[in-house]
Amino acid sequence: MKLLTNSALFRQSCYINGLWVDSAKKIAVTNPVDQTVLGNIPSLNITQVDEAIEQAHLAMAGWQQQTAKSRAIILRRWFELIEANVDDLGRLMTLEQGKPLHEAKGEIRYAASFIEWFAEEGKRVYGETIPQTVGSNRLSTIKQPIGVCSAITPWNFPAAMITRKAAPALAAGCSIIIKPATETPFTALALAQLADEAGIPAGIFNVITGDSTLLGERLTKHALISKFSFTGSTQVGRILSEQCASTIKKTSLELGGNAPFIVFADADMDKAVNSAVQAKFRNGGQTCVCVNRFYIHDAIFDEFQTKFTAEVAKLKVGNGLDVETDIGPMITSKAIDSMNKLLVDALSKGARRIMLGNEIEEHDHFINPKVLVDVDDSMDIVHEEIFGPIATLIRFKDENEVIQRANNTIYGLAAYFFTQDVNRVYRVAEKLQSGMVGINTGMISNEVAPFGGVKQSGLGKEGSHYGIDDYLSVKYLCLDLG
Ligand code: ADP
């Protein structure tokens, strides 16, 4: 690949048990900018997948015997190699995913931060002693790696969704098999190349590609896998969770969202507007914590609308490799179709689109950011995840009313609100049915804080000191001295 300085990062084979594995059947991967083929990846068959799982199982025995400190030293090397290759990894991500280069590099650093964090957290996997109920007993717990892990990850964060799962798994002493999204496998394979260079032993970190349904079945149903982690849509999460039930796997699910962003009348307007633009249009609106619904207090609605649309009008749509680009191409035409369905439904029910004045002619995967007003709760766009650059502005008058409307969804991932009233901060934050709440900010994700949803947005927490728990099992020891 011409655009990379380190051509070893461009891998078109799977990484299994420390080897680069191919298959006769291939899948072409395209650049969302112009649909040109970037390269091909293997479409593995079931036998190859089962072998990968068996080898990961065998490899784990040695890895879990190492001390947490020695695993941390290896993981630290992986972190440093990713940091050192941030330019190439960022370009590779932009090529296959479309996001602006500065965002892609930001994601690589974010992805690396999970490895740094969990390398350290692995050293703090403490058991405990428990006061006994019978005099001669001594009670304690130890924590052990849960076993072979599998993960299926999405295209919107091709690096971070992998390291957020793989780093705690590896730090805990587990092995992991990752199936990245078929749209964005090259970032995942580049991470595997660096894992290899870092000295992660064969079989501990594996990347497989192929038919999603076929591979998904093996990764959720194989008896040698103890833990399954998924980031993606609620719809697919339900299927995979059902598949995991047959072998009672521990599951972590990071699923869809429908984030409300509430601006109260006493908010710092400029801060709210700037945060609104960031929280809505990052990655072209294609993130699960992106705002789906803006609830703006009636008294400040017009001012917010004017300032917000003025900022949105400045956003430039284009190729993510151009430094001026704010919004790259959407990932697939299918994604655009489902967004357009929501748009048509909203417009047919009375929503109005504010024209920004700098619209490009929409073509291929390039679409304009859009701002809708006169939006109400009868429209599908209020209830379904938009996953694209459409902002819906909705009026509200009363705090209780807006909390009730914000919570009126099957989702509960992120929520945001803006106010300067400290009493309201706690009142509203406690009542929002959401795993994460941004208060006077639209940027909440980092490696030290727990990421995860409630309701049908998922199960479990990633990142933070909680993030390693899912990869450990607690064993209770009862010793009788008598
Ligand atoms: P998104 O809308 O973000 O693409 P999906 O849930 O469709 O979310 O996809 C997330 C990941 O799940 C991707 O890696 C995709 O290939 C995979 N996937 C989609 N459908 C299935 C399925 N039926 N079984 C296993 N994996 C699937």
Side-chain angles (χ1 to χ4, degrees), residues 369-380:
K370 298 177 181 73
V371 179
L372 299 185
V373 291
D374 298 341
V375 173
D376 66 51
D377 295 354
S378 73
M379 302 169 185
D380 292 344

Side-chain angles (χ1 to χ4, degrees), residues 189-303:
L189 294 166
L191 291 177
Q193 168 65 27
L194 296 175
D196 189 85
E197 287 176 30
I200 292 176
I204 297 303
F205 178 78
N206 306 276
V207 178
I208 63 171
T209 61
D211 179 79
S212 291
T213 315
L214 191 82
L215 269 52
E217 269 219 25
R218 296 314 291 156
L219 296 181
T220 49
K221 290 187 173 170
H222 200 294
L224 281 180
I225 293 175
S226 306
K227 147 101 198 153
F228 173 70
S229 180
F230 174 71
T231 299
S233 61
T234 295
Q235 198 189 359
V236 174
R238 275 192 204 104
I239 299 170
L240 298 174
S241 174
E242 266 186 47
Q243 291 177 186
C244 283
S246 64
T247 47
I248 320 288
K249 292 193 200 321
K250 192 166 178 179
T251 55
S252 300
L253 305 168
E254 297 289 354
L255 308 175
N258 182 6
F261 186 108
I262 306 166
V263 186
F264 289 97
D266 63 359
D268 176 333
M269 176 62 76
D270 291 339
K271 200 172 177 204
V273 168
N274 290 334
S275 304
V277 175
Q278 272 186 341
K280 175 69 231 180
F281 296 103
R282 202 158 56 99
N283 202 6
Q286 304 173 109
T287 94
C288 49
V289 293
C290 270
V291 180
N292 222 58
R293 303 168 283 160
F294 287 97
Y295 289 104
I296 313 298
H297 192 272
D298 194 43
I300 53 156
F301 187 94
D302 293 344
E303 185 190 356

Side-chain angles (χ1 to χ4, degrees), residues 391-446:
T392 59
L393 307 192
I394 307 167
R395 279 176 200 268
F396 78 91
K397 291 201 165 134
D398 169 75
E399 185 181 302
N400 285 328
E401 168 217 332
V402 78
I403 292 171
Q404 190 267 325
R405 290 171 79 184
N407 288 340
N408 183 22
T409 168
I410 62 163
Y411 299 106
L413 191 57
Y416 310 89
F417 67 94
F418 284 68
T419 181
Q420 313 239 48
D421 175 343
V422 70
N423 294 324
R424 178 180 275 146
V425 164
Y426 273 91
R427 223 167 37 227
V428 175
E430 287 172 8
K431 285 185 189 155
L432 285 172
Q433 295 167 355
S434 165
M436 299 172 283
V437 183
I439 303 151
N440 296 332
T441 178
M443 299 289 277
I444 54 174
S445 305
N446 56 59

Side-chain angles (χ1 to χ4, degrees), residues 131-195:
Q132 58 270 27
T133 53
V134 175
S136 61
N137 279 358
R138 294 296 178 268
L139 315 182
S140 61
T141 63
I142 57 170
K143 291 183 181 171
Q144 295 179 304
I146 189 160
V148 181
C149 305
S150 63
I152 295 182
T153 55
W155 49 264
N156 61 343
F157 286 95
M161 295 307 99
I162 290 176
T163 56
R164 202 156 77 174
K165 300 175 194 312
L170 268 52
C174 302
S175 56
I176 193 164
I177 300 160
I178 308 267
K179 205 286 296 169
T182 311
E183 293 84 356
T184 58
F186 291 128
T187 305
L189 294 166
L191 291 177
Q193 168 65 27
L194 296 175

